[in-house]
Amino acid sequence: MERVRRLLAKTDLLTGLDPDDLACLAAAAERRTYGPGEWLFHESTPRQWVGIVEEGAVELCRGLHGQSTRIAVVEDGAILSEGALLEDLPHSKSGFTRGGAVVIQLSQAAIAIIRRERPELFSRLAARVAQHLSRRLRLAAEALTGTPDLTVSGRTRREHDLLGERDVPAEAYYGIQTLRAVENFPISGTRLAGFGHFIDALAMIKKAAALANHDLGILDRARTDAIAAACDEILAGKFHEQFVVDMIQGGAGTSTNMNANEVIANRGLEHLGRQKGEYRHLHPNDHLNLSQSTNDVYPTAIRLAVNLMLKDVLAAMGELKAALEVKEREFADVLKMGRTQLQDAVPMTLGQEFGAYAVMIGEDMERLREAADLLKEINLGATAIGTGINSPPGYAELATEKLRQVSGVAVVKSSNLVEATQDSGAFVQMSGVMKRVAVKLSKICNDLRLLSSGPRCGLQEIRLPPMQPGSSIMPGKVNPVIPEVVNQVCFEIIGNDLTITMAAEAGQLELNVMEPIIALNLFQNLLYLRNACITLAGRCILGIQADRDRCRSFVEQSIGLVTALVPTLGYERSVAIAKEALEGGRSVYQLVLEKGWLSQEALDDLLRPEQMTHPRQLPRAEG
């Protein structure tokens, strides 16, 4: 019994209860041992007890049918099924132990006795359980909506800020300001953790700032090393799940900056042999934010992240360009009719059509590189508004140099930090170029859909690879789903450009507070563009086939063919034969042969792709 009483005394939920209260609970409790893989309770079954984990770990999950969702793992000292104290509803989740566990349990019968004989104790327990449940439900909701698994003990640490004190989950590396931001901005459901390059950029900046501060003599070696080590771990992919703030937020990115400061500070504390929250040894503001402000860290992180993400985008566009060039070579001898305003124009090769698409993609890759160069000019060291207040002389130059070394991106310090802190023009430029890419990419997809239309009643000059059945009612129908999805991606990018434009315009005086929505839309555009190019290249372009006979027949039947004959037949005869072909439904090819104006050998030679699609020496007409 004494062992149980000591355990109860150390449990967060019961801390501060009178010795008599603890003795009463210990006397009523029972110890239960569970073996590996054993279930403690199941979702939708009645609650039989309230428990505290003495040894081992219990995994909580939800989902009776299909795939279950893991919610959390609770360990030593955690409370289980606490809702049994408040209501008689069934379990909302299931619990089992993978490696075995010992649980101290208070049965429903024991609870009923306490409620009847010790109502004051029961009231105190109920009030504490209500607070605990509120915290547990929030954590569960975060897990169900995409926050990675956390090991939840139910323990907390108390932190304070300008507005007062709050309890932060003991396992969390983030702190009180991040907690407030999560509560304040339940907007998009897209958390910072959704953009790994952005988190990497923040870690690079914090490491570069710490190194610069150390070289300038204002940050000691131990703290510098702890910060650098934590940043290196983040750059290795660790702790990204701790970046939990919504991308759309008020405060011009302050919540993002503090999320980074708190996570790195708390991990750094562990490197120093300290506990999370012991900020007197490594403080999120005093040390992690030393010589910095959100107003230089946040825009610098956006600029750096765009450059990091753009490497992936350019690689994907390069794959699309290469795929189009493969088709350019494959279709170099496929003669077809070119069209303007959807009307017959003059002959060309299908290879020329795909080669033009490849050039369009290549040109836009260059435009993106140019726009990215503008984003390499940063305002790190500007601090609040560009004056560099609270940073030592030389910090801006040194921090920029350190960031260049840490990131591998050739960043440069802006020549005017006041201007750079308020100017969002480079973001607008990058967005505009991405809109340009989207417009042209969508146009290519429109062409693919049109050229493949059919299969019997459309152009059907090319055949797209069949990816899935196209209808729930029309047998045999196959739709151009890959160009369609890329079209929709392009529409999203074009729409996001307007958001970025309006957000940049909304900046006032020395700072643009709308940068969070700019960041989200830039990152989404880059992600969408990368994925769209990979999908279009791999699941569409490389599998396209040409219907050579159909392309050739269109050329022979087209009135547009007569344009290619003008230099040989003359304008008047060409007009006459075009009119006769239209009125009689005849082909220009056959009429020219019937009239004897060109021999079949000369006409066939004229219609060879190399003759039709390049400057050439023209044959002379007969008669």
Side-chain angles (χ1 to χ4, degrees):
M1 177 176 166
E2 180 58 24
R3 180 178 177 181
V4 173
R5 191 195 65 78
R6 287 197 300 269
L7 175 64
L8 297 178
K10 293 189 297 183
T11 302
D12 268 9
L13 183 68
L14 306 177
T15 300
L17 287 182
D18 293 338
D20 288 344
D21 290 341
L22 292 173
C24 175
L25 294 174
E30 301 175 44
R31 292 179 80 246
R32 170 74 187 274
T33 300
Y34 293 87
E38 190 172 353
W39 290 86
L40 285 72
F41 48 86
H42 294 278
E43 183 176 340
S44 79
T45 60
R47 299 176 189 270
Q48 301 294 333
W49 45 263
V50 177
I52 297 172
V53 180
E54 180 180 358
E55 296 175 10
V58 177
E59 186 166 320
L60 304 178
C61 59
R62 178 173 295 170
L64 288 175
H65 309 289
Q67 185 177 2
S68 63
T69 300
R70 185 178 186 227
I71 297 174
V73 175
V74 295
E75 296 184 320
D76 300 0
I79 189 168
L80 293 169
S81 192
E82 58 270 42
L85 280 166
L86 300 180
E87 30 85 349
D88 58 357
L89 293 177
H91 287 286
S92 60
K93 61 185 76 67
S94 301
F96 72 100
T97 175
R98 293 187 183 276
V102 177
V103 181
I104 306 300
Q105 298 177 348
L106 198 65
S107 68
Q108 284 281 20
I111 294 171
I113 293 173
I114 293 172
R115 184 171 189 171
R116 184 175 63 251
E117 298 181 358
R118 298 285 299 274
E120 303 88 355
L121 172 58
F122 180 84
S123 296
R124 288 193 289 272
L125 290 174
R128 294 185 179 207
V129 164
Q131 293 177 336
H132 188 80
L133 279 174
S134 176
R135 182 166 63 247
R136 176 70 63 79
L137 287 171
R138 183 174 65 249
L139 291 171
E142 290 174 354
L144 288 170
T145 55
T147 299
D149 299 329
L150 296 174
T151 299
V152 182
S153 67
R155 294 188 297 270
T156 60
R157 65 176 187 268
R158 178 143 293 198
E159 295 191 10
H160 70 274
D161 63 6
L162 171 68
L163 301 184
E165 294 185 338
R166 290 292 301 275
D167 288 329
V168 178
E171 293 81 11
Y173 284 88
Y174 58 79
I176 183 172
Q177 293 203 43
T178 300
L179 183 63
R180 293 193 192 280
V182 169
E183 295 169 347
N184 287 336
F185 310 124
I187 305 299
S188 70
T190 301
R191 299 168 184 257
L192 302 178
F195 297 104
H197 287 307
F198 190 36
I199 296 174
D200 288 346
L202 289 164
M204 290 173 181
I205 292 168
K206 295 301 175 180
K207 181 177 180 179
L211 295 174
N213 284 324
H214 176 263
D215 287 357
L216 292 169
I218 59 173
L219 188 65
D220 63 82
R221 170 53 63 186
R223 289 188 174 100
T224 301
D225 289 346
I227 292 171
C231 291
D232 286 341
E233 288 179 313
I234 291 171
L235 293 173
K238 298 179 180 179
F239 306 109
H240 282 212
E241 75 280 357
Q242 297 292 322
F243 289 77
V244 295
V245 177
D246 199 284
M247 284 291 297
I248 301 179
Q249 56 193 256
T254 296
S255 297
T256 294
N257 187 34
M258 288 309 301
N259 196 163
N261 287 338
E262 290 174 342
V263 170
I264 297 169
N266 280 309
R267 181 53 182 159
L269 283 167
E270 292 180 332
H271 283 293
L272 292 171
R274 302 291 180 175
Q275 298 295 315
K276 300 184 191 74
E278 293 188 287
Y279 294 141
R280 64 186 181 278
H281 302 291
L282 187 62
H283 197 280
N285 295 88
D286 291 340
H287 303 121
L288 262 298
N289 208 58
L290 184 61
S291 305
Q292 301 157 62
S293 164
T294 295
N295 301 349
D296 61 345
V297 168
Y298 191 73
T300 297
I302 298 173
R303 290 165 180 261
L304 188 56
V306 169
N307 273 279
L308 295 173
M309 294 181 73
L310 193 59
K311 295 178 182 179
D312 296 338
V313 174
L314 291 173
M317 292 180 70
E319 291 181 21
L320 177 58
K321 179 174 180 287
L324 291 166
E325 289 170 340
V326 167
K327 294 302 170 180
E328 177 184 15
R329 295 187 292 271
E330 182 181 339
F331 301 151
D333 62 341
V334 180
L335 189 67
K336 60 157 288 179
M337 280 305 298
R339 298 178 179 85
T340 59
Q341 292 140 298
L342 295 181
Q343 306 299 305
D344 297 354
V346 297
M348 64 183 300
T349 68
L350 190 59
Q352 286 176 317
E353 199 154 39
F354 277 80
Y357 299 153
V359 171
M360 290 163 63
I361 299 299
E363 286 181 343
D364 283 350
M365 291 172 68
E366 288 304 313
R367 302 294 84 76
L368 283 170
R369 291 188 182 100
E370 292 168 0
D373 284 340
L374 295 178
L375 289 171
K376 292 174 183 174
E377 182 178 308
I378 62 174
N379 73 328
L380 191 61
T383 64
I385 64 171
T387 61
I389 190 172
N390 290 359
S391 66
Y395 169 79
E397 291 77 12
L398 184 57
T400 300
E401 174 60 28
K402 295 293 186 183
L403 184 56
R404 187 159 49 243
Q405 296 170 5
V406 169
S407 68
V409 178
V411 294
V412 296
K413 184 179 80 72
S414 174
S415 59
N416 189 311
L417 295 179
V418 174
E419 180 274 336
T421 303
Q422 62 182 269
D423 185 8
S424 300
F427 298 141
V428 176
Q429 178 79 2
M430 173 57 72
S431 177
V433 174
M434 282 193 282
K435 181 177 76 171
R436 166 187 164 134
V437 177
V439 168
K440 294 164 73 172
L441 188 60
S442 188
K443 189 269 182 190
I444 292 172
C445 289
N446 292 340
D447 287 357
L448 295 177
R449 291 165 56 209
L450 188 59
L451 292 172
S452 65
S453 59
R456 297 291 176 83
C457 301
L459 295 182
Q460 194 61 18
E461 292 183 346
I462 62 174
R463 292 187 289 271
L464 304 185
M467 302 311 299
Q468 63 186 55
S471 174
S472 61
I473 188 174
M474 293 173 279
K477 191 170 187 289
V478 178
N479 295 328
V481 294
I482 301 302
E484 287 172 355
V485 75
V486 175
N487 277 132
Q488 293 172 75
V489 168
C490 294
F491 304 157
E492 180 77 4
I493 292 172
I494 292 167
N496 285 348
D497 175 68
L498 178 59
T499 299
I500 292 169
T501 300
M502 296 305 298
E505 183 273 339
Q508 297 168 327
L509 302 177
E510 278 65 56
L511 180 69
N512 190 325
V513 301
M514 308 300 176
E515 284 178 345
I517 196 68
I518 292 176
L520 174 61
N521 282 272
L522 283 175
F523 298 161
Q524 283 183 336
N525 284 359
L526 289 163
L527 180 64
Y528 294 164
L529 184 58
R530 171 188 176 274
N531 293 344
C533 288
I534 291 172
T535 300
L536 184 60
R539 303 188 69 81
C540 182
I541 301 298
L542 289 175
I544 291 176
Q545 298 177 342
D547 190 327
R548 294 170 178 266
D549 293 339
R550 190 170 179 85
C551 287
R552 176 77 184 202
S553 69
F554 279 156
V555 171
E556 293 179 355
Q557 297 172 21
S558 173
I559 305 303
L561 176 63
V562 77
T563 303
L565 303 179
V566 169
T568 300
L569 300 181
Y571 187 80
E572 294 299 333
R573 281 200 288 186
S574 296
V575 169
I577 206 168
K579 181 178 180 181
E580 186 176 347
L582 279 171
E583 291 176 349
R586 307 282 305 281
S587 75
V588 171
Y589 184 90
Q590 289 297 325
L591 287 173
V592 170
L593 292 180
E594 287 178 11
K595 294 181 182 297
W597 288 347
L598 285 171
S599 67
Q600 185 170 2
E601 180 181 4
L603 186 57
D604 286 341
D605 181 68
L606 190 63
L607 294 180
R608 286 189 295 119
E610 59 268 29
Q611 294 282 35
M612 294 288 289
T613 59
H614 297 90
R616 65 192 187 280
Q617 185 65 42
L618 299 172
R620 297 182 61 184
E622 303 293 335

